[in-house]
Every structure is written in C-alpha cells, then in structure tokens.
Amino acid sequence: MQNSDNRTVVVTGGTRGVGAGIALAFAGTGARVVACARRPPEEPVPGVEFAPLDLRDPAAVRAFFAALPRLDVLVNNAGGAPYRRLADADAERHARVIELNLITPLTASLAAYEHLRRAHGSVVMIGSVSGGRPSPGTAAYGAAKAGLENLAGSMAVEWAPEVRVNTLVVGMVRTELAHRHYGGDDGVTAVARTVPLGRLAAPADVGAAAVFLASDAAAYITGASLLVHGGGERPAFLDAATVNRDTAVNSDATVNRP
C-alpha cells in the first residue's frame, strides 16, 4: 500500500491465522492497523492494535467504527466454520455460520461506509474457493462465501467511485489450526500435493494480496475477485483416467501429473 503512513486499517478477526497474516502485512506498510475480535490474541501481533468487538452485535459494531478518527481500509476477514454435515444439525445452527461469514461483513461495511467514503478507501472481502464449488461438510460456509463475493460485486457498483470493494478468493492455508481440517503433518503434506504450486498458502501470501488490492497500484480495480489458491485443485478425473498418465517422482511420493 503506497503512501500509507497515515492510513488506518481495520482487520476483523485479525488476531490469528489468516487474519494475523493480513494485519502483519498492513503493519509492514507503516499503516495504523487495528485487529478486532471477541478475544485478544494469545500473543500480541507486532505493530497491530487489538480492539475487543463482537461482530455479531450490530450496535457494538456501529459504535466501534463511529469512535475511529478515520478509516482507509476495511478487511472483512472474520469467519470460518466447523466440519458439520447438513443433516447433523438444525437450520438455526447453520444459520449462525451464515451470519458470521456473510451478515457480519455486511454489518461492518455499512458501519464503516462514511469513513471509507471520505477517505476514498477500500474494502477487501476475504472469500473462499468454497464459495465456487460444492463444500460437503461446510455447506453453510460455502453458501455464505458465495454470497459474500456477490455482495462485494454489488457493493462495488453502488459505492463507486468513492469506495473500492474487492474479494480475495482464498484456497487452503496452513495456519495453527490446519490440523483440524487436514490432520497432522502427513495430512497437510498429502493435501499440499493436490495444489499445483505444491504447497498450502501461508497467511503472509494472503496478506500480500490484501495489501495489493488496497494499494494505489490497484486504483482501477473494483468489483474484482482475485484467486489466491496456488492454481486451484487438480481435476480428479485426470487421476482416475487410464490414459495420458505421466508419472513424476518427487522427494515425497510418486504422483501422477498431466
């Protein structure tokens, strides 16, 4: 982000994982960075202020943004979901996942709008590849992320030219909670082999992309979705087919590649 010494950036859920990576990346530009979440980080994030905030409380969200002297960038990162099959929970429980991943970014964006309009600032939504494909076990999360990307596109049109709004469509990321999704080191390594670039993203990769979308270098980019997924996923049919198989050996295992 250029000319950021006097800019203020708010990162929701910016205390760990992807959010901490984003907050650190913006702090590295010289901006004032505020990470808001319900609980403080286990360890302070260097160069990042913490503000306690329950994003599911609209009145508290409005009061938080109203108290800021200025705001240039809002990163709507807070979200997530446990593994839960649709029939294993009632609709109300799934609705809470949708609330966290779709409604709270809308609430925060609306509360931040006047600040952002005055600053000619930007919103960065942290979306997911789950919003563009079936997401068994996290169906409500995938549906919310699909809605978030659509919301960002509409917001970009309504709020132009004063406020730019873009989405990072994030793939698999190696964070301190990766084991909950992929298992131990063996599971993470096996999953990483399914990514064309051969590894899961680091939080810093997402942070660098967020800084770019909020920077002057992206001044003509709004309503866009930037894929941060290492090339996506290798189509399963390529490994199931019995023709056109090229065997390549790497240091970890023998895998089939096109």
Side-chain angles (χ1 to χ4, degrees), residues 62-88:
R62 288 190 287 268
F64 167 77
F65 283 101
L68 291 175
R70 67 175 293 161
L71 179 64
D72 301 271
V73 180
L74 169 63
V75 182
N76 282 308
N77 165 77
Y83 182 87
R84 181 183 294 129
R85 291 186 177 274
L86 282 170
D88 291 342

Side-chain angles (χ1 to χ4, degrees), residues 2 10 37 47 101-102 112 132 157 163 165 174 181 197 199 221 237:
Q2 300 172 2
V10 167
N101 291 281
L102 178 58
V157 173
V163 181
V165 185
R174 187 165 190 166
H181 301 282
L197 284 187
R199 67 176 177 87
I221 300 175
F237 80 87

Side-chain angles (χ1 to χ4, degrees), residues 87-149:
D88 291 342
D90 55 28
E92 289 81 0
R93 182 162 293 186
H94 293 302
R96 288 197 288 272
V97 173
I98 294 173
E99 177 189 15
L100 175 62
N101 291 281
L102 178 58
I103 303 304
T104 63
L106 174 60
T107 302
S109 298
L110 290 171
Y113 172 69
E114 286 300 330
H115 277 309
L116 295 170
R117 183 183 63 81
R118 287 192 293 269
H120 282 253
S122 70
V123 177
V124 179
M125 302 289 197
I126 304 303
S128 170
V129 294
S130 294
R133 56 159 170 73
S135 299
T138 55
Y141 173 81
K145 290 299 188 180
L148 183 67
E149 192 171 350

Side-chain angles (χ1 to χ4, degrees), residues 19-77:
I22 294 169
L24 278 169
F26 277 104
T29 71
R32 177 198 177 196
V33 182
V34 181
C36 55
R38 286 188 298 170
R39 292 181 291 274
E42 293 182 3
E43 296 182 6
V45 182
V48 177
E49 303 172 31
F50 170 71
L53 180 63
D54 184 350
L55 290 157
R56 294 180 180 181
D57 182 344
V61 172
R62 288 190 287 268
F64 167 77
F65 283 101
L68 291 175
R70 67 175 293 161
L71 179 64
D72 301 271
V73 180
L74 169 63
V75 182
N76 282 308
N77 165 77

